Amino acid sequence: MSDYLHIQNIHKDFSGLKVLTGVDFKVREKERHAVIGPNGAGKTTLFNIISGKFKPSSGAILLRGEDISGKPADVLNRHGLSRSFQITNVFQELSVFDNILTGVRSRHGLRYHFFRKPAMNRVLTEKTEAILEKVGLADVKDQPASSLSYGQQRALEIGITLSTEPELILLDEPTAGMTREETEHAIKMIDQVTAGLTLIIIEHDMDVVFSLADTISVLHYGTILVCDAPDKIRCDQRVKDAYLGEG
Amino acid sequence: MSEFLVFFLHGLAYAGLLFLVSAGLTLVFGMMNVLNFAHAAMYMLGAYFSYTIVMQLTGQFWMSLMICPVILFVIGAVVERFLLRRVHRYGHVQELLLTFGLAYIITELVKWYWGNYPLAINVTGFLNGTVSIFGIIYPMYRIFIFVCAILVGGVMALVLYKTRLGIILRAAVNDSEMTNTLGVNVPLVFMGVFAFGAALSGFAGVIAGPLLSTFPGMAQEILLDAFVVIVVGGFGSLGGAILASLIIGELQSFGVLLFPKLSMALVYLLMAAVLIIKPSGLFGEES
Amino acid sequence: MKQKSISLITIVVLFAVAAVMPAVLKQYHLNMLTEIIIFALYAVSYNLLLGYAGLLSFGHASFFGLAAFATAVSIINIPGLSIWNVILISVAVTTLAGFALGGLLLRHKGAYFALLTLAFNSILFAIATKWHSVTGGDDGLSITRPDLSLGFTTIPLASLTNFYYLTLVVLGLAIIFCWYFTKTAMGQTVLLMRENEDRMKFLGYNTNISRLILFTFSGAVAGLAGIFYTFHFQFVSISAISGDMSTTVLLIAFVGGTKKFWGPILGAFVYIILQNYLSDVTDRWPLVMGMIFVLMVLFVPGGLSDVITNLWHKFFGKKDDKDGKLTTAEEVRP
């Protein structure tokens, strides 16, 4: 059986600065894969490459055997890949509903239409409502995004990520900056909304990682130190060294 | 052969002038990320002030060459401090609109005060003479323009790459916040850069006066050529401005000789070609 | 759908008022009103770029002028061409030009894009000046307005009133379509791109193609205004494609306000009226316009429409304002 996603020997340097030096790991379909690592290990750069923001300097990304590396973000999204951002990246002046609708209508091909208004289509509004329900924002759907609390903004961030009905989701530190309580709530929500999807998540919070992930890859100095089940990672000496050495 | 040489020298002289205009433009753009549409209008002001100083007041060309850049420096500093800085927070579009509006006003003021017709500025003495190069007699003034351009280009390169001031300037470009925390007064640096750009445009205007006629359309005319220079050379690149000035100066000059009807089109064709083949310009960095 | 009915009422009222104008106004003023409608459409098309997409162009006259010349040239060179075909040909020409120019220029952003639009406008201006045999060069081209053939009947457009009605209907509908466009999927896509282009890409939108479509559309609409400009004056000169004509539309849109759909329309009224009266009072009127422009850039970046909206808020309060016709459906920002 071929792997669903194979990150194959990815290198990236920014005008001489080597950020990734041969990242290589595989993700099975419907797996929940966490990428952890100390600050500056290159996690976000890796995400930017997988999601099409940057081109890798070398290496390949095989999605169902097809190399998708270097394809632009909008093409990848239409291939079923969607990502969230570490720093909340929503349309601040738009209502919560319209934020989600923007992704939903894209998924349904209503991107560049000259005559049709997006909000008048029943299928789209129903799908939007469904996503709002899932991420717990149905009550505030008519408010502008800018009026939401931090936790709600993070939920909206995930809602937008889901709005294009992806099968592969990349979440970049979804619980960053949250209180303990909010984090627990967010884990539950992420667990529910990504059921049946393939998930790659970057996280600092080890509780989040260990409660969500099936597999963990440890990124250290631009390369994968180890990739294994959470239990194994917990007692891996190299991982301890990497984190302790950093701290 | 001698005709070829004459056109070559004409090309050099125009290239020198183009460089003097575009150097300030590209410096301000590179440092402050502001495309100053009023740059050419300031150049025109330089030429008109020079007209007043040379033809109406003193008769001294050297005098205007010293005074005009100072006046323009002050104007530039005032514009930056009281106008440009105010709109900076609204973003680039607003900055562009402001400099565009200023150019418009300056042009109208010039028409009002000096009239909507060409004025001639005459130089006397040494600069009015000729020089013999490889058997041809060539006007000294055009050689003078080229020499000025070399001097200005040389000094700018020295300051930017060899002095502490240059280090500060380049640091301010890369990370203005960081430079600020290091104790450098970045707003003051920006004001200085903008004022220097204005002074340089004024200097170019004084130089241009005796070569081209001084008239309200002169800003528009040189602005386009200067824009082509920085598009071809690459935005914010001093080296690019030098090379592109030479190419365009010569292209203009030989264009007139070889294809009299298409001379202007050649320059634009070059620009279109650069845009298609290397959109960031010859020396520009790929974004 | 209260908002919707309010916009509908606004449109109907405006049309009704405009329709009785020929009975009220003198020839001179009807002439002016026709010109205002033409420049309103021109400015609305420009604001699709500036206000909605955040693209600053200094070369919008490229399209306005190209269509103005295409109109005159086709009328002169193809005898018996119906008015609809003249419009069709000229719009087609500008659409193609918009697509080609957009493909070349939109690879650049911000100041770079602004500069390139200016440069290409200058190229077109130079061509128009030099290509004397076709464009008439500095002399321009004179035409006679073709009659309006409606199949069953023919309406002579030599009469200003008839031409005014044609302008009102065709350009009025075009303005309404532009307004509708801002509400459609495409219009919203462009608007959101300005707010957060990155996110749009990650949601599957091809932002380059979106910008190209918008640029082409905006050019075609400006072209329609250019066509009527030639019809109106029955003459076209190189000034139609000059940098000044590009500056004019920038001034109109900015003074009226780029943040509201109706800002540029208001701008057209103010500009044309000021032009007509100020130019009688002082021949320094471009200077006055320039001063107004710079002062607005400095102190009122939202233009007159913003001032009016703020006053409205002040006097009628926020609550009433929700139902007021000025700020509901016509808000640029959703």
Side-chain angles (χ1 to χ4, degrees), chain B:
Chain B
M1 180 58 210
S2 69
E3 194 187 32
F4 179 87
L5 185 60
V6 167
F7 275 88
F8 178 73
L9 290 174
H10 279 11
L12 282 187
Y14 191 61
L17 182 62
L18 268 184
F19 172 75
L20 287 174
V21 177
S22 46
L25 198 58
T26 207
L27 181 78
V28 169
F29 185 81
M31 296 283 161
M32 305 172 65
N33 218 351
V34 173
L35 185 63
N36 182 10
F37 271 84
H39 191 78
M42 290 173 172
Y43 150 92
M44 177 165 73
L45 269 186
Y48 273 98
F49 284 143
S50 173
Y51 172 82
T52 299
I53 292 171
V54 178
M55 305 305 285
Q56 295 177 326
L57 298 176
T58 65
Q60 297 288 317
F61 180 73
W62 294 106
M63 184 91 91
S64 92
L65 201 57
M66 313 261 229
I67 295 174
C68 290
V70 176
I71 302 175
L72 265 299
F73 186 91
V74 173
I75 293 179
V78 169
V79 166
E80 202 283 336
R81 177 64 186 81
F82 295 103
L83 303 178
L84 199 57
R85 198 175 292 180
R86 183 186 279 274
V87 299
H88 182 71
R89 64 198 150 110
Y90 297 128
H92 282 307
V93 168
Q94 219 72 4
E95 286 173 340
L96 276 179
L97 289 175
L98 177 76
T99 61
F100 189 75
L102 287 177
Y104 194 88
I105 290 180
I106 292 175
T107 309
E108 291 302 323
L109 285 175
V110 162
K111 282 184 199 165
W112 192 8
Y113 186 75
W114 281 281
N116 198 358
Y117 41 80
L119 299 169
I121 298 171
N122 302 320
V123 286
T124 48
F126 165 70
L127 284 177
N128 199 22
T130 54
V131 61
S132 171
I133 303 169
F134 299 116
I136 55 167
I137 308 294
Y138 198 75
M140 190 64 194
Y141 192 74
R142 286 171 189 260
I143 304 287
F144 167 73
I145 294 176
F146 191 67
V147 172
C148 282
I150 292 175
L151 285 178
V152 168
V155 169
M156 278 174 74
L158 269 180
V159 170
L160 275 179
Y161 296 102
K162 295 285 177 209
T163 65
R164 197 182 130 71
L165 179 65
I167 294 171
I168 292 173
L169 286 176
R170 285 182 293 135
V173 178
N174 289 328
D175 193 340
S176 62
E177 247 172 62
M178 180 58 109
T179 317
N180 220 346
T181 55
L182 289 177
V184 176
N185 186 343
V186 173
L188 188 70
V189 170
F190 279 178
M191 188 168 94
V193 167
F194 194 84
F196 177 73
L200 205 54
S201 71
F203 183 75
V206 176
I207 300 258
L211 179 73
L212 314 165
S213 69
T214 305
F215 69 107
M218 69 184 291
Q220 194 66 20
E221 224 166 54
I222 200 90
L223 185 66
L224 281 171
D225 280 353
F227 277 168
V228 174
V229 165
I230 58 177
V231 168
V232 171
F235 262 65
S237 158
L238 194 62
I242 295 173
L243 182 64
S245 297
L246 283 171
I247 294 174
I248 287 156
E250 292 299 345
L251 203 60
Q252 285 268 25
S253 182
F254 282 100
V256 173
L257 178 68
L258 302 172
F259 320 94
K261 286 208 157 165
L262 289 171
S263 65
M264 194 194 55
L266 280 178
V267 172
Y268 288 125
L269 281 177
L270 173 72
M271 182 176 78
V274 168
L275 279 176
I276 292 165
I277 299 160
K278 196 169 183 302
S280 57
L282 297 176
F283 280 45
E285 279 184 24
E286 297 289 342
S287 56

Side-chain angles (χ1 to χ4, degrees), chain A:
Chain A
M1 189 197 105
S2 77
D3 295 288
Y4 176 67
L5 180 73
H6 187 175
I7 311 294
Q8 209 172 38
N9 198 21
I10 291 288
H11 287 76
K12 178 71 186 175
D13 52 75
F14 292 102
S15 43
L17 180 68
K18 290 188 170 65
V19 178
L20 300 178
T21 53
V23 174
D24 203 308
F25 64 91
K26 292 173 181 175
V27 180
R28 281 171 286 115
E29 190 158 10
K30 298 188 180 165
E31 182 179 276
R32 288 153 177 219
H33 196 113
V35 177
I36 64 171
N39 274 331
K43 299 184 299 280
T44 295
T45 304
L46 178 64
F47 254 35
N48 282 338
I49 289 174
I50 299 175
S51 63
K53 186 165 180 166
F54 300 151
K55 288 181 182 177
S57 303
S58 70
I61 298 165
L62 304 174
L63 181 68
R64 297 185 195 280
E66 186 196 346
D67 187 6
I68 58 163
S69 62
K71 286 196 177 163
D74 57 304
V75 174
L76 291 179
N77 182 276
R78 297 199 289 272
H79 266 77
L81 183 153
S82 187
R83 71 167 290 185
S84 77
F85 291 83
Q86 185 182 347
I87 297 161
T88 308
N89 195 4
V90 304
F91 301 99
Q92 294 288 351
E93 309 209 3
L94 227 52
S95 72
V96 171
F97 182 90
D98 284 340
N99 262 282
I100 304 287
L101 181 65
T102 304
V104 173
R105 71 182 171 97
S106 169
R107 174 70 179 83
H108 287 262
L110 194 57
R111 286 184 285 265
Y112 320 119
H113 207 287
F114 249 70
F115 301 103
R116 275 162 57 195
K117 294 188 190 180
M120 277 154 62
N121 185 315
R122 176 147 310 187
V123 179
L124 300 191
T125 46
E126 277 168 7
K127 293 213 163 176
T128 305
E129 302 276 0
I131 290 171
L132 285 170
E133 204 67 51
K134 271 189 185 173
V135 296
L137 293 174
D139 297 342
V140 291
K141 65 172 181 168
D142 292 326
Q143 291 183 22
S146 54
S147 72
L148 297 183
S149 71
Y150 182 73
Q152 286 173 321
Q153 292 227 2
R154 298 302 299 171
L156 179 59
E157 178 71 41
I158 291 172
I160 294 177
T161 310
L162 289 171
S163 64
T164 55
E165 295 175 35
E167 52 179 42
L168 170 60
I169 292 188
L170 310 178
L171 296 182
D172 192 349
E173 297 198 26
T175 66
M178 285 189 178
T179 62
R180 193 87 303 240
E181 210 169 295
E182 285 173 327
T183 303
E184 272 168 29
H185 185 72
I187 295 173
K188 232 176 265 167
M189 192 259 281
I190 293 170
D191 190 40
Q192 280 166 12
V193 298
T194 60
L197 305 175
T198 311
L199 171 70
I200 305 178
I201 183 169
I202 291 178
E203 226 355 304
H204 265 303
D205 190 326
M206 287 304 145
D207 289 344
V208 177
V209 172
F210 286 111
S211 57
L212 272 175
D214 306 327
T215 313
I216 296 174
S217 290
V218 182
L219 191 63
H220 188 54
Y221 285 120
T223 182
I224 296 289
L225 196 64
V226 53
C227 174
D228 216 328
D231 296 342
K232 302 262 176 61
I233 296 289
R234 221 189 273 268
C235 17
D236 193 293
Q237 191 55 43
R238 288 169 296 175
V239 177
K240 284 182 183 163
D241 290 346
Y243 271 87
L244 289 175
E246 198 62 30

Side-chain angles (χ1 to χ4, degrees), chain C residues 89-163:
Chain C
I89 290 173
S90 306
V91 167
V93 168
T94 29
T95 308
L96 283 177
F99 189 75
L101 265 188
L104 197 57
L105 305 189
L106 286 169
R107 296 199 267 169
H108 303 278
K109 303 232 166 78
Y112 215 126
F113 171 79
L115 183 162
L116 290 173
T117 53
L118 178 81
F120 274 81
N121 196 164
S122 310
I123 298 176
L124 288 176
F125 178 72
I127 293 173
T129 314
K130 295 271 161 75
W131 202 7
H132 202 277
S133 58
V134 173
T135 64
D138 287 323
D139 303 330
L141 297 171
S142 289
I143 58 146
T144 314
R145 278 198 287 264
D147 288 340
L148 176 65
S149 45
L150 289 172
F152 54 94
T153 178
T154 300
I155 301 169
L157 289 182
S159 127
L160 177 63
T161 308
N162 288 352
F163 178 67

